[in-house]
Amino acid sequence: MERKRAIEAIKTAGIVGAGGGGFPTFIKMQSQVETIICNGSECEPLLATDKAILYQNADRVIDGIKVAMKATGAKEGIIAIKGHYQNVIKKVEAALAGIYDIHIHQLENYYPAGDEFLTVYDVTKKLIPEGGLPLDVGVVVCNALTLSQISDAIAGKVVTNRVVTINGEIEKPQVLKAPIGASYRQLISACGGTTIDNYTVLDGGPMMGSIVEDIDRGIAKTTSGILVLPNDHFVVNMKTKSITQMVKLSKAACCQCFRCTDLCPRNLLGHDIYPHRTMRTIDYNLADPTEHITSAFLCSQCGVCEMVACDSMLLSPKKIYAEYRKTLVAQGVKSPHRKNNFSVRDAFEDRKISIPTIMKKMGLAKYTLPELVVKDFYSDRVSIPTNRHIGKPAKATVTIGDQVKIGDMIALSADGGLGSVYHASIIGEITDCDQSFIEITA
Ligand code: SF4
Ligand code: SF4
């Protein structure tokens, strides 16, 4: 398929970064680059979504890479997978037989190997500038599921379902392929329910995932995992602390030990982000932002400082940065950080944190990965979130009472620039609808 039609098919299919970012994929495909990297590193502990896709459907991912290479003019495709998963690598190697412009790059088993800045450095030894994109160094990075959706789009299929790992305090942890908008509760029940009564559900992994306030709402195009943890689990405690609590605690308890800076993956890459200094300046006036406050624009929200580094004081530079960033954006402050000539810090290699260390520190060592088999799940009611992509919000193109079939368009962002289209994931009637979701009942 020629380039223009491929990009149009990807846009029409409503593909957004399935790894969690939600960046509209057709925009990435409009660039001209040398390399496409398939991000199959999936470094969030306890998630097996990308691994299962690569294990079961490597052919489709490879097809997606070929389309992405054609669209962007890339000469090579690289599949980044952790060397730890040799069973997955063997399947991908078999699928690559006779293909010479796509190969595998084995990553170490550390967190956050899947952060685009780190993946690109690991694979190409190129450093993305501060505040930049992989595109700045001639690379486009796409998640494994996103690439298999690209392959589907070329065959005329739009995004109506997604693969998701259900793990933690679950009777039978599994990887399911579910209609977008299936509820967290339905998916947990499909895995035999929970093993405990008092639990909290996360959308995503333990490091970057967020608490699900209402488990009867539906999963999004960006939901890579559903993690169930006890209410009193360390991860839940850290994630439920309010920003007000965290600011108070930080002012009182930060001992300036530097560990958050020492272990910050973006600092180790050479960026000017120093979380311990930011913690020292948290009561500064935002109207006059210092570089330690605007460095919020450099934070990837990876969670290393919160979940691993500050294990004695239990503070969260991550949360402070998220709040600062929100405030700075609302004030119209632009990131002044644009450094593009730097090298990784000397300690870069030594300070990589292995996944087993993270699991132990976070109290997750008792949980294991589910089998790498994707099972189908059907639902008779979905509540499709229409605001979980980057860009212009999508507006409903249907109203309550309309009848829809699988694949019918139900919401659309205004044309031009970033945005996405949404499609019905089951056949039925529109039974509820607002600015953030559309409910369909079979
Ligand atoms: S690790 Fe914690 S206590 Fe140490 S400087 Fe960072 S925020 Fe402060
Ligand atoms: S979340 Fe913490 S460790 Fe991660 S990039 Fe931000 S400051 Fe650094």
Side-chain angles (χ1 to χ4, degrees):
M1 188 184 272
E2 51 125 342
R3 175 172 195 256
K4 225 169 144 193
R5 277 178 55 214
I7 295 171
E8 201 47 45
I10 291 164
K11 184 178 181 185
T12 307
I15 303 174
V16 300
F23 190 87
T25 304
F26 76 92
I27 301 277
K28 286 188 182 182
M29 295 300 131
Q30 287 171 346
S31 44
Q32 291 286 304
V33 293
E34 292 124 46
T35 309
I36 296 290
I37 297 179
C38 162
N39 194 346
S41 52
E42 195 166 47
C43 53
E44 274 276 9
L46 303 178
L47 299 193
T49 304
D50 295 340
K51 290 179 265 295
I53 290 164
L54 283 163
Y55 188 75
Q56 272 198 303
N57 292 109
D59 286 340
R60 271 176 49 219
V61 177
I62 292 165
D63 273 352
I65 297 174
K66 287 180 185 164
V67 175
M69 285 169 67
K70 254 200 193 137
T72 58
K75 295 281 171 286
E76 64 169 351
I78 300 172
I79 304 175
I81 317 177
K82 293 201 173 148
H84 183 66
Y85 297 103
Q86 283 299 316
N87 52 345
V88 180
I89 288 173
K90 283 204 176 86
K91 290 275 188 183
V92 178
E93 276 172 351
L96 282 174
I99 298 172
Y100 302 104
D101 51 359
I102 304 176
H103 60 270
I104 296 173
H105 177 94
Q106 298 193 25
L107 300 163
E108 289 171 63
N109 193 21
Y110 78 99
Y111 182 87
D115 170 3
E116 285 189 340
F117 282 63
L118 286 148
T119 316
V120 168
Y121 179 69
D122 264 341
V123 173
T124 66
K125 291 289 167 258
K126 291 177 184 170
L127 282 163
I128 302 172
E130 285 183 348
L133 294 167
L135 178 62
D136 296 324
V137 292
V139 178
V140 157
V141 182
C142 288
N143 163 270
L145 176 57
T146 309
L147 286 159
S148 78
Q149 289 171 340
I150 289 178
S151 166
D152 289 347
I154 300 306
K157 287 187 207 154
V158 297
V159 177
T160 57
N161 54 48
R162 76 147 294 143
V163 181
V164 58
T165 305
I166 297 98
N167 205 350
E169 294 292 347
I170 291 285
E171 285 294 346
K172 196 172 181 303
Q174 288 181 75
V175 182
L176 298 178
K177 184 172 167 188
I180 302 205
S183 75
Y184 297 90
R185 191 189 298 280
Q186 288 173 331
L187 290 163
I188 290 168
S189 297
C191 296
T194 59
T195 52
I196 53 172
D197 292 332
N198 300 315
Y199 60 84
T200 298
V201 177
L202 300 187
D203 179 305
M207 297 296 283
M208 297 183 76
S210 51
I211 305 265
V212 178
E213 302 295 346
D214 179 358
I215 65 170
D216 289 311
R217 279 294 172 101
I219 60 163
K221 288 181 183 181
T222 50
T223 304
S224 50
I226 297 175
L227 189 58
V228 176
L229 293 173
N231 282 344
D232 58 357
H233 194 279
F234 164 71
V235 171
V236 177
N237 280 338
M238 289 307 288
K239 287 187 191 285
T240 45
K241 271 187 194 141
S242 73
I243 183 70
T244 322
Q245 270 176 307
M246 194 47 81
V247 168
K248 244 189 213 162
L249 278 172
S250 302
K251 284 182 184 176
C254 176
C255 64
Q256 289 293 291
C257 66
F258 301 179
R259 264 173 65 82
C260 48
T261 295
D262 281 349
L263 294 179
C264 171
R266 291 292 177 98
N267 174 285
L268 287 166
L269 265 183
H271 291 193
D272 281 338
I273 174 169
Y274 299 90
H276 76 283
R277 291 186 192 159
T278 304
M279 296 301 269
R280 211 164 52 199
T281 59
I282 56 172
D283 51 358
Y284 271 33
N285 180 2
L286 278 182
D288 177 25
T290 72
E291 66 178 295
H292 302 311
I293 290 172
T294 56
S295 60
F297 286 113
L298 301 177
C299 171
S300 67
Q301 293 287 297
C302 71
V304 165
C305 50
E306 169 189 70
M307 297 292 181
V308 184
C310 196
D311 54 358
S312 49
M313 297 303 179
L314 306 182
L315 305 177
S316 174
K318 170 186 167 175
K319 219 167 238 172
I320 302 283
Y321 274 137
E323 192 62 18
Y324 274 150
R325 190 185 176 117
K326 224 170 36 188
T327 312
L328 291 170
V329 169
Q331 290 178 344
V333 177
K334 297 261 184 282
S335 172
H337 303 273
R338 289 278 176 260
K339 193 168 73 168
N340 64 4
N341 190 9
F342 56 94
S343 39
V344 297
R345 314 248 181 227
D346 293 344
F348 177 77
E349 288 298 333
D350 298 338
R351 296 215 181 121
K352 284 180 177 169
I353 308 162
S354 76
I355 297 292
T357 303
I358 287 206
M359 302 267 290
K360 211 167 145 200
K361 269 193 168 277
M362 294 172 75
L364 299 169
K366 69 181 247 199
Y367 306 112
T368 53
L369 281 185
E371 233 189 321
L372 299 185
V373 177
V374 182
K375 292 186 182 148
D376 285 321
F377 171 78
Y378 301 96
S379 173
D380 57 4
R381 194 188 70 85
V382 292
S383 165
I384 301 174
T386 52
N387 58 356
R388 301 270 291 272
H389 61 274
I390 291 177
K392 294 176 190 163
K395 287 201 179 127
T397 53
V398 288
T399 50
I400 294 172
D402 284 354
Q403 303 293 318
V404 288
K405 302 186 299 302
I406 296 175
D408 285 352
M409 183 174 76
I410 55 169
L412 179 67
S413 298
D415 213 5
L418 289 175
S420 187
V421 56
Y422 286 81
H423 302 90
S425 58
I426 61 170
I427 182 168
E429 181 177 319
I430 306 293
T431 43
D432 203 355
C433 173
D434 77 5
Q435 283 168 354
S436 61
F437 78 99
I438 295 172
E439 182 187 86
I440 307 172
T441 305

